[in-house]
Amino acid sequence: MSTIAFQGSTARRVDVAPSPPVDNLGSGGGCSCSPSLVEKLFNWIKDAIDNVGYAIGNISITAYSNAGNNGYNYNPYVIVVTPPDMGTSNNPNYPDPSGGSSTIIVSPNEPEWTPTNSPSIMAKRLCRRIDFSDFTVRDWLLDPNNIQAVKSSYFVLLEENTLENQLFVKQAIESMKMGAEVDFSYRVITDSSFKNNPCLYGVYTQLGKASTFQSYLKKFDGSFSVANLKYSVGVNPNHPKANAVTYEPKHYLIETRFNPNNLRRPSLDIARTFIHEIIHAEIYRKLLSCAKLPNVNINNMTDSQWQTYIHNLKNNFPGLFDYYMRYLYAVPKDQQISGTQHELMAQHYRKIIIQVLKQYDNNQHSDEFYNALAWIGLMGEGDINGTTFLPPNPTVAWGKVPLSERLQIKATYDNFINSTPSCQ
């Protein structure tokens, strides 16, 4: 039995076309395509598509029969598959009693999401386009209280219907249903655990949220973007002492999770953690752009994907390429990826941290003070030695700082922590 191979699309339901009229082609041995043949053809299409899966499009299917022994030339019939937009595919050589062959061509039957002002239609189209595993999402989208969320989600996909946008909208809708806040302009999700934490949300708000982050960072690197971020609260079991952990991208989304047990620090130090983690996220975003995939899991890449990734990394971000080749890809696989990023940040990004902290704090302290704060988290992996002020695996940049300066930096930070009210 033949099958229809759709290109990047699937469908679920096909309505059988009405019986066709007889097409008289005049003298010369014309042919009529009998209703039984067309019914058989479209019933076969229906069976094939019914077994494929879920759908995202309104399509027209047109049956063409090439001229056969009896001279039959052309007879189109259209059936509708709901919901909309599917792409194009062919099924060659369906037998034709006239001696020719049939080709099934699948193409869009309506423009990509025709304009609508109806939140209900928007919600239904979102449910058809995005595969929500939680079936209560549809009810949530149809709730009149969630009209703005529906419109914002809809227009993201109306602007550009990419896999990346679909996955972000899916995460955004599922998160909003659970009480999250979503900034669609900058693609930032703050989940309920973060939104309901007065310390973290307060610092985030004072920092100016995503728009100010964006403007801060673009002053230092025009390619910076805070897109596709998620902020949450929780303890990473692999790094229980970390102030926060920024995870490798998953489905294009980069999540930063803040440790709720490490908030008994001054708000300025919490702000430092924000900037530190957003630089991690930016590095991941650049790696993601090189991978051309929803993730940067090199262990799951094919040879071709790896070659594409390394080629793009080398050509587009030679500095990142240098650090990753030196500190990650040329060393044992069990090294944490953050070690590579900390090496890069310690050498090249401390000035960004210093400048953002100055703006957040209205420049209340000395340059030496902000420099000391910027070093926190960039000294290396492991506990700091009380004599040398070096961890077991120091970053190259911190190892080059003279001992006397390391002592001063540590004293400045300790005094700040002990003499300033905590955020929580």
Side-chain angles (χ1 to χ4, degrees):
M1 177 178 177
S2 301
T3 59
I4 303 177
F6 292 98
Q7 298 173 355
S9 302
T10 56
R12 185 170 62 180
R13 181 174 65 83
V14 176
D15 297 327
V16 178
S19 299
V22 174
D23 186 4
N24 294 316
L25 298 179
S27 60
C31 164
S32 65
C33 186
S34 68
S36 59
L37 170 62
V38 174
E39 277 189 36
K40 180 179 179 181
L41 175 63
F42 283 103
N43 277 326
W44 172 79
I45 298 171
K46 177 181 183 299
D47 290 339
I49 295 180
D50 275 347
N51 292 323
V52 174
Y54 190 59
I56 36 179
N58 214 12
I59 18 185
S60 61
I61 299 182
T62 306
Y64 296 86
S65 286
N66 299 328
N69 295 334
N70 295 323
Y72 180 69
N73 187 33
Y74 174 77
N75 197 346
Y77 297 94
V78 177
I79 59 176
V80 175
V81 180
T82 54
D85 34 9
M86 275 228 28
T88 301
S89 182
N90 296 322
N91 178 65
N93 302 324
Y94 187 85
D96 188 321
S98 68
S101 64
S102 297
T103 298
I104 300 166
I105 299 178
V106 182
S107 59
N109 194 39
E110 67 172 1
E112 170 100 353
W113 274 13
T114 52
T116 180
N117 292 319
S118 167
S120 175
I121 293 176
M122 292 180 185
K124 291 173 182 177
R125 287 177 175 177
L126 285 169
C127 286
R128 289 198 296 261
R129 175 157 293 175
I130 299 174
D131 182 17
F132 292 107
S133 55
D134 181 355
F135 295 109
T136 64
V137 168
R138 180 185 176 90
D139 294 334
W140 186 87
L141 288 171
L142 291 171
D143 187 330
N145 294 319
N146 302 319
I147 287 177
Q148 190 54 52
V150 168
K151 288 183 176 180
S152 297
S153 302
Y154 181 83
F155 287 117
V156 167
L157 292 186
L158 189 64
E159 179 183 356
E160 189 175 9
N161 180 30
T162 61
L163 176 61
E164 181 176 347
N165 279 355
Q166 287 183 21
L167 291 172
F168 178 78
V169 168
K170 182 177 189 293
Q171 289 268 6
I173 290 173
E174 291 175 343
S175 297
M176 286 188 292
K177 181 176 178 289
M178 301 301 293
E181 174 182 285
V182 178
D183 185 332
F184 281 94
S185 298
Y186 292 92
R187 309 292 180 88
V188 178
I189 300 171
T190 53
D191 84 1
S192 57
S193 65
F194 181 93
K195 180 182 172 184
N196 296 326
N197 186 293
C199 169
L200 291 170
Y201 196 74
V203 171
Y204 179 60
T205 301
Q206 188 174 342
L207 276 167
K209 298 188 176 180
S211 60
T212 303
F213 271 133
Q214 186 94 317
S215 62
Y216 279 164
L217 298 172
K218 279 189 175 295
K219 290 179 182 178
F220 308 103
D221 184 340
S223 67
F224 260 82
S225 171
V226 296
N228 288 28
L229 294 180
K230 179 179 180 180
Y231 289 127
S232 63
V233 177
V235 178
N236 183 298
N238 296 323
H239 305 281
K241 295 181 180 180
N243 291 328
V245 174
T246 296
Y247 295 88
E248 289 187 6
K250 184 178 181 181
H251 304 313
Y252 295 103
L253 194 69
I254 303 166
E255 179 179 359
T256 295
R257 186 175 299 170
F258 292 83
N259 189 338
N261 301 325
N262 288 7
L263 299 180
R264 295 190 180 279
R265 301 179 282 139
S267 61
L268 183 60
D269 200 44
I270 304 294
R272 176 196 58 76
T273 299
F274 266 100
I275 303 304
H276 180 110
E277 297 303 326
I278 205 170
I279 293 173
H280 276 306
E282 170 60 11
I283 294 171
Y284 278 134
R285 189 188 65 81
K286 289 180 176 178
L287 295 177
L288 198 61
S289 72
C290 294
K292 305 296 183 184
L293 296 167
N295 58 72
V296 286
N297 188 338
I298 62 172
N299 294 322
N300 290 338
M301 288 182 182
T302 64
D303 288 343
S304 175
Q305 289 170 340
W306 168 255
Q307 292 297 329
T308 297
Y309 173 57
I310 289 298
H311 174 80
N312 290 336
L313 187 60
K314 182 177 181 180
N315 290 340
N316 299 339
F317 306 106
L320 276 179
F321 174 78
D322 174 52
Y323 273 84
Y324 269 78
M325 292 306 292
R326 272 196 286 163
Y327 296 109
L328 182 66
Y329 300 146
V331 297
K333 292 182 179 179
D334 59 356
Q335 177 176 317
Q336 292 295 324
I337 196 167
S338 61
T340 305
Q341 295 191 4
H342 284 159
E343 291 284 357
L344 178 66
M345 291 164 66
Q347 189 68 41
H348 298 285
Y349 287 99
R350 283 184 297 108
K351 288 183 179 179
I352 294 179
I353 298 172
I354 289 169
Q355 293 302 319
V356 176
L357 290 178
K358 282 183 175 182
Q359 294 186 55
Y360 175 88
D361 197 38
N362 294 320
N363 213 1
Q364 295 182 41
H365 300 278
S366 66
D367 288 348
E368 290 76 14
F369 171 84
Y370 294 111
N371 179 63
L373 260 63
W375 270 114
I376 305 305
L378 300 179
M379 298 173 179
E381 305 293 333
D383 295 332
I384 301 292
N385 181 283
T387 303
T388 64
F389 292 98
L390 291 172
N393 299 300
T395 57
V396 173
W398 180 246
K400 291 180 179 179
V401 175
L403 176 59
S404 59
E405 190 176 341
R406 294 201 298 267
L407 293 175
Q408 183 58 48
I409 288 171
K410 185 68 165 59
T412 299
Y413 181 72
D414 288 346
N415 180 63
F416 165 64
I417 292 294
N418 296 328
S419 62
T420 310
S422 66
C423 181
Q424 178 172 298

